[in-house]
Amino acid sequence: MKRINGLLCSLPFLLVGCSTWADSMTTSSKDSVSVSIHGVNYTADAFRYVVVDPKDPKNSGGGEFIEPFGAGGIMCCYSLPKQWRPGIQIQVRSTHWLPEKPNGELPEVKEVFTVDVPRYADGKAGELWVIRTAEGKIDVVSSDLQPNHPKWPGKVKGWPVPSIEYRRERWELYRKIAENDVALYQGLLGELNASRQERTQKAWPNDLRIHQEEMKKFSGPNDPAYAEFLKRRYMRMLAKAEARVQELMKGKP
């Protein structure tokens, strides 16, 4: 999957049997069952969540950071009643961050949602899903199914899909990074051609630290073979950066 199209690579497509794993880690009472927790984010804001039982603060879990239009992994654990009944509530403490301001400040917004747990779709408590909806509200679902399953009981179906605005924002960021890489290696090659000894003297200490074994074949920074080694590396990295720019331009959202 290409990088620009891989914005959902963190989604836990292989999450299976999580409640069984959680059960083995935590002892449940005869009336409750311990389940794992997952977060899903349908907004363009990164967010973090913690779930707490309003009647028992010791029953809590979560805390993971969820990327925009992404999903988290497996968090442990939360205790749910084995049998659903009306009035089961969960408090979700949510934190999200607004776009960075020109001065570098990253505004933080903290919210507390008390939400009802909907009826267990298959009659038993499943994994607890904490869902930040596109409107910025919080829903919860108890199910061993995932959001892309045909029988998923949640209101929102399927995994998050990045908005065109978010995709363009990410694309612009990746484009700038790739173009900066092009400029970097063009500059290094220019410096190497204009003042070989000065460039090799600058590069030698770092290469000696990172590539200890490979550097043993050179007598020192003034070794002509080392200069050629640097030139080949810079040319290789420049070609890679230029190819990256071309790839991004073809895939512009």
Side-chain angles (χ1 to χ4, degrees), residues 5 16 38 54 60 69 77 79 109 126 175 177 184 219 244:
N5 294 325
V16 292
H38 313 294
S60 64
F69 301 105
C77 301
S79 182
V109 180
R175 182 190 65 80
I177 291 174
L184 169 65
S219 60
R244 177 65 179 148

PDB file of all heavy atoms in Angstrom, residues 5 16 38 54 60 69 77 79 109 126 175 177 184 219 244:
ATOM      1  N   ASN A   5      -1.710   6.598   0.534  1.00  0.00           N
ATOM      2  CA  ASN A   5      -2.999   5.930   0.635  1.00  0.00           C
ATOM      3  C   ASN A   5      -3.072   5.008   1.837  1.00  0.00           C
ATOM      4  O   ASN A   5      -4.030   4.273   1.999  1.00  0.00           O
ATOM      5  CB  ASN A   5      -3.271   5.114  -0.637  1.00  0.00           C
ATOM      6  CG  ASN A   5      -3.439   5.997  -1.847  1.00  0.00           C
ATOM      7  OD1 ASN A   5      -3.983   7.084  -1.727  1.00  0.00           O
ATOM      8  ND2 ASN A   5      -2.960   5.550  -2.992  1.00  0.00           N
ATOM      9  N   VAL A  16      -8.957 -10.457  17.017  1.00  0.00           N
ATOM     10  CA  VAL A  16      -9.891 -11.564  17.204  1.00  0.00           C
ATOM     11  C   VAL A  16      -9.681 -12.153  18.583  1.00  0.00           C
ATOM     12  O   VAL A  16      -8.574 -12.184  19.107  1.00  0.00           O
ATOM     13  CB  VAL A  16      -9.682 -12.679  16.152  1.00  0.00           C
ATOM     14  CG1 VAL A  16     -10.071 -12.197  14.780  1.00  0.00           C
ATOM     15  CG2 VAL A  16      -8.246 -13.183  16.152  1.00  0.00           C
ATOM     16  N   HIS A  38     -11.408  -1.132  22.607  1.00  0.00           N
ATOM     17  CA  HIS A  38     -10.854  -0.597  21.358  1.00  0.00           C
ATOM     18  C   HIS A  38     -11.399   0.805  21.117  1.00  0.00           C
ATOM     19  O   HIS A  38     -12.536   1.093  21.485  1.00  0.00           O
ATOM     20  CB  HIS A  38     -11.234  -1.463  20.159  1.00  0.00           C
ATOM     21  CG  HIS A  38     -11.040  -2.928  20.373  1.00  0.00           C
ATOM     22  ND1 HIS A  38      -9.806  -3.484  20.552  1.00  0.00           N
ATOM     23  CD2 HIS A  38     -11.928  -3.947  20.443  1.00  0.00           C
ATOM     24  CE1 HIS A  38      -9.937  -4.805  20.722  1.00  0.00           C
ATOM     25  NE2 HIS A  38     -11.219  -5.100  20.672  1.00  0.00           N
ATOM     26  N   PRO A  54     -19.136   4.745  36.267  1.00  0.00           N
ATOM     27  CA  PRO A  54     -19.585   5.792  37.196  1.00  0.00           C
ATOM     28  C   PRO A  54     -19.883   5.263  38.591  1.00  0.00           C
ATOM     29  O   PRO A  54     -19.785   6.012  39.580  1.00  0.00           O
ATOM     30  CB  PRO A  54     -20.856   6.333  36.531  1.00  0.00           C
ATOM     31  CG  PRO A  54     -20.740   5.944  35.093  1.00  0.00           C
ATOM     32  CD  PRO A  54     -20.000   4.649  35.086  1.00  0.00           C
ATOM     33  N   SER A  60     -11.967   0.619  35.258  1.00  0.00           N
ATOM     34  CA  SER A  60     -11.595   1.606  34.230  1.00  0.00           C
ATOM     35  C   SER A  60     -10.573   0.999  33.284  1.00  0.00           C
ATOM     36  O   SER A  60      -9.959  -0.025  33.572  1.00  0.00           O
ATOM     37  CB  SER A  60     -11.039   2.880  34.869  1.00  0.00           C
ATOM     38  OG  SER A  60      -9.833   2.601  35.557  1.00  0.00           O
ATOM     39  N   PHE A  69      -9.036   9.649  11.846  1.00  0.00           N
ATOM     40  CA  PHE A  69      -9.575   8.637  10.938  1.00  0.00           C
ATOM     41  C   PHE A  69      -8.858   7.296  11.110  1.00  0.00           C
ATOM     42  O   PHE A  69      -8.563   6.603  10.138  1.00  0.00           O
ATOM     43  CB  PHE A  69      -9.486   9.117   9.484  1.00  0.00           C
ATOM     44  CG  PHE A  69     -10.226  10.393   9.221  1.00  0.00           C
ATOM     45  CD1 PHE A  69      -9.550  11.590   9.060  1.00  0.00           C
ATOM     46  CD2 PHE A  69     -11.608  10.395   9.149  1.00  0.00           C
ATOM     47  CE1 PHE A  69     -10.230  12.777   8.820  1.00  0.00           C
ATOM     48  CE2 PHE A  69     -12.306  11.578   8.923  1.00  0.00           C
ATOM     49  CZ  PHE A  69     -11.615  12.770   8.756  1.00  0.00           C
ATOM     50  N   CYS A  77      -8.499  -3.331  30.740  1.00  0.00           N
ATOM     51  CA  CYS A  77      -9.687  -4.134  30.479  1.00  0.00           C
ATOM     52  C   CYS A  77     -10.854  -3.392  31.116  1.00  0.00           C
ATOM     53  O   CYS A  77     -10.652  -2.486  31.927  1.00  0.00           O
ATOM     54  CB  CYS A  77      -9.597  -5.521  31.096  1.00  0.00           C
ATOM     55  SG  CYS A  77      -8.192  -6.507  30.514  1.00  0.00           S
ATOM     56  N   SER A  79     -14.905  -4.165  32.921  1.00  0.00           N
ATOM     57  CA  SER A  79     -15.854  -5.176  33.370  1.00  0.00           C
ATOM     58  C   SER A  79     -17.273  -4.761  33.017  1.00  0.00           C
ATOM     59  O   SER A  79     -17.723  -3.675  33.409  1.00  0.00           O
ATOM     60  CB  SER A  79     -15.720  -5.376  34.881  1.00  0.00           C
ATOM     61  OG  SER A  79     -16.605  -6.396  35.324  1.00  0.00           O
ATOM     62  N   VAL A 109      -8.592  19.941  24.158  1.00  0.00           N
ATOM     63  CA  VAL A 109      -9.986  19.993  24.592  1.00  0.00           C
ATOM     64  C   VAL A 109     -10.303  18.724  25.372  1.00  0.00           C
ATOM     65  O   VAL A 109     -10.174  17.616  24.843  1.00  0.00           O
ATOM     66  CB  VAL A 109     -10.953  20.120  23.390  1.00  0.00           C
ATOM     67  CG1 VAL A 109     -12.397  20.179  23.876  1.00  0.00           C
ATOM     68  CG2 VAL A 109     -10.612  21.343  22.551  1.00  0.00           C
ATOM     69  N   GLY A 126     -19.711  -8.304  24.778  1.00  0.00           N
ATOM     70  CA  GLY A 126     -18.555  -8.478  23.901  1.00  0.00           C
ATOM     71  C   GLY A 126     -17.524  -7.404  24.184  1.00  0.00           C
ATOM     72  O   GLY A 126     -17.612  -6.661  25.175  1.00  0.00           O
ATOM     73  N   ARG A 175       4.503  15.822   0.550  1.00  0.00           N
ATOM     74  CA  ARG A 175       5.157  16.456  -0.603  1.00  0.00           C
ATOM     75  C   ARG A 175       6.287  17.366  -0.143  1.00  0.00           C
ATOM     76  O   ARG A 175       7.390  17.348  -0.707  1.00  0.00           O
ATOM     77  CB  ARG A 175       4.139  17.243  -1.415  1.00  0.00           C
ATOM     78  CG  ARG A 175       4.725  17.905  -2.676  1.00  0.00           C
ATOM     79  CD  ARG A 175       3.734  18.859  -3.309  1.00  0.00           C
ATOM     80  NE  ARG A 175       3.436  19.984  -2.444  1.00  0.00           N
ATOM     81  CZ  ARG A 175       4.222  21.054  -2.310  1.00  0.00           C
ATOM     82  NH1 ARG A 175       5.382  21.131  -2.966  1.00  0.00           N
ATOM     83  NH2 ARG A 175       3.882  22.046  -1.519  1.00  0.00           N
ATOM     84  N   ILE A 177       8.000  17.199   2.620  1.00  0.00           N
ATOM     85  CA  ILE A 177       9.098  16.384   3.153  1.00  0.00           C
ATOM     86  C   ILE A 177       9.952  15.836   2.016  1.00  0.00           C
ATOM     87  O   ILE A 177      11.189  15.886   2.050  1.00  0.00           O
ATOM     88  CB  ILE A 177       8.542  15.234   4.015  1.00  0.00           C
ATOM     89  CG1 ILE A 177       7.919  15.783   5.295  1.00  0.00           C
ATOM     90  CG2 ILE A 177       9.649  14.231   4.361  1.00  0.00           C
ATOM     91  CD1 ILE A 177       7.215  14.740   6.133  1.00  0.00           C
ATOM     92  N   LEU A 184      17.952  18.664  -0.011  1.00  0.00           N
ATOM     93  CA  LEU A 184      19.044  18.271   0.883  1.00  0.00           C
ATOM     94  C   LEU A 184      20.144  17.543   0.126  1.00  0.00           C
ATOM     95  O   LEU A 184      21.332  17.905   0.234  1.00  0.00           O
ATOM     96  CB  LEU A 184      18.505  17.377   2.000  1.00  0.00           C
ATOM     97  CG  LEU A 184      19.552  16.675   2.875  1.00  0.00           C
ATOM     98  CD1 LEU A 184      20.357  17.703   3.662  1.00  0.00           C
ATOM     99  CD2 LEU A 184      18.887  15.676   3.816  1.00  0.00           C
ATOM    100  N   SER A 219      40.605   4.621   4.988  1.00  0.00           N
ATOM    101  CA  SER A 219      41.717   5.019   5.869  1.00  0.00           C
ATOM    102  C   SER A 219      41.387   6.266   6.676  1.00  0.00           C
ATOM    103  O   SER A 219      42.004   6.516   7.715  1.00  0.00           O
ATOM    104  CB  SER A 219      42.976   5.266   5.032  1.00  0.00           C
ATOM    105  OG  SER A 219      42.750   6.302   4.085  1.00  0.00           O
ATOM    106  N   ARG A 244      10.059   9.718  -5.083  1.00  0.00           N
ATOM    107  CA  ARG A 244       8.986   9.915  -4.109  1.00  0.00           C
ATOM    108  C   ARG A 244       8.124  11.115  -4.493  1.00  0.00           C
ATOM    109  O   ARG A 244       6.893  11.071  -4.407  1.00  0.00           O
ATOM    110  CB  ARG A 244       9.586  10.102  -2.720  1.00  0.00           C
ATOM    111  CG  ARG A 244       8.590  10.384  -1.612  1.00  0.00           C
ATOM    112  CD  ARG A 244       7.670   9.223  -1.376  1.00  0.00           C
ATOM    113  NE  ARG A 244       6.743   9.502  -0.285  1.00  0.00           N
ATOM    114  CZ  ARG A 244       5.511   9.019  -0.217  1.00  0.00           C
ATOM    115  NH1 ARG A 244       5.055   8.239  -1.174  1.00  0.00           N
ATOM    116  NH2 ARG A 244       4.731   9.313   0.790  1.00  0.00           N
TER     117      ARG A 244
END
